[in-house]
Amino acid sequence: MPTRILVEGRPGAGKTTALRRLAALLPTHAASGFTTEEIRQCGARVGFALETLAGRRDVLAHVDLPGPPRVGKYGVDPGVMERLALPSLRPAATGEATGRLVLIDELGRMELACTAFRHAVDALFVAEVDVVATVHTHRDPFTDALKRRADVEVIQLTPANRDVLPGELAARLRQPRTHGRPPSHG
């Protein structure tokens, strides 16, 4: 049974850092997917960049982008999801990479504004691939449905576990697959 983990945390809890550390602990090219990070100017957050694990990067959302869609004060460029995020997910979702690992940071409002991305995530969660994705604690119909799935483990990212969690997840993902569901850490 594939490993399907949602790492849930509040904004600023360290979800992106934890996912990047996890990727660094895995063998090179063991995972595909993407991370996001804040863009800051003069100390103020003005947007978010998306970077694939293969190193492709572009601005996903910015105060100067017109949108639509808009999430808060940010205009979102869905084309970035289509050009960068989707190709980093598709090989695994289409079964071309059985046994692969997909890392997604994150399943948030900006990313989920792209319908094709939501479809790709749905496909991943039924494919024979391991998935580790980060999610906000806020309510959202799409992520709430994923959290309720019996085959998904939700792990709360906290100050107490954020430094050790990447190593624990890397060790679990290196193990042969089992047929039981691991215990919840939430």
Side-chain angles (χ1 to χ4, degrees), residues 127-145:
E128 287 296 313
V129 297
D130 297 328
V131 179
V132 178
T134 63
V135 293
H136 274 298
T137 54
H138 67 77
R139 308 274 312 170
D140 176 87
F142 186 86
T143 56
D144 289 350

Side-chain angles (χ1 to χ4, degrees), residues 51-102:
E51 184 173 357
T52 69
L53 296 184
R56 295 185 63 207
R57 180 182 171 96
D58 205 345
V59 175
L60 171 63
H62 199 278
V63 292
D64 293 336
L65 288 175
R70 290 195 67 79
V71 175
K73 63 183 179 181
Y74 306 103
V76 179
D77 181 355
V80 171
M81 295 302 294
E82 293 169 9
R83 287 188 312 274
L84 299 182
L86 290 177
S88 75
L89 307 181
R90 280 199 181 114
T94 58
E96 295 173 26
T98 301
R100 296 231 342 155
L101 168 64
V102 178

Side-chain angles (χ1 to χ4, degrees), residues 7 30 38 43 50 85 100 104 140:
V7 177
E38 293 181 352
L50 183 143
R100 296 231 342 155
I104 302 171
D140 176 87

Side-chain angles (χ1 to χ4, degrees), residues 3-7 131 133 146-147 149-155 169 172 181-186:
T3 300
R4 296 182 176 125
I5 297 172
L6 295 177
V7 177
V131 179
L146 290 176
K147 292 174 190 178
R149 288 176 55 125
D151 62 343
V152 170
E153 177 183 2
V154 178
I155 298 175
L169 291 176
R172 282 177 53 184
R181 183 175 178 203
S184 176
H185 291 89

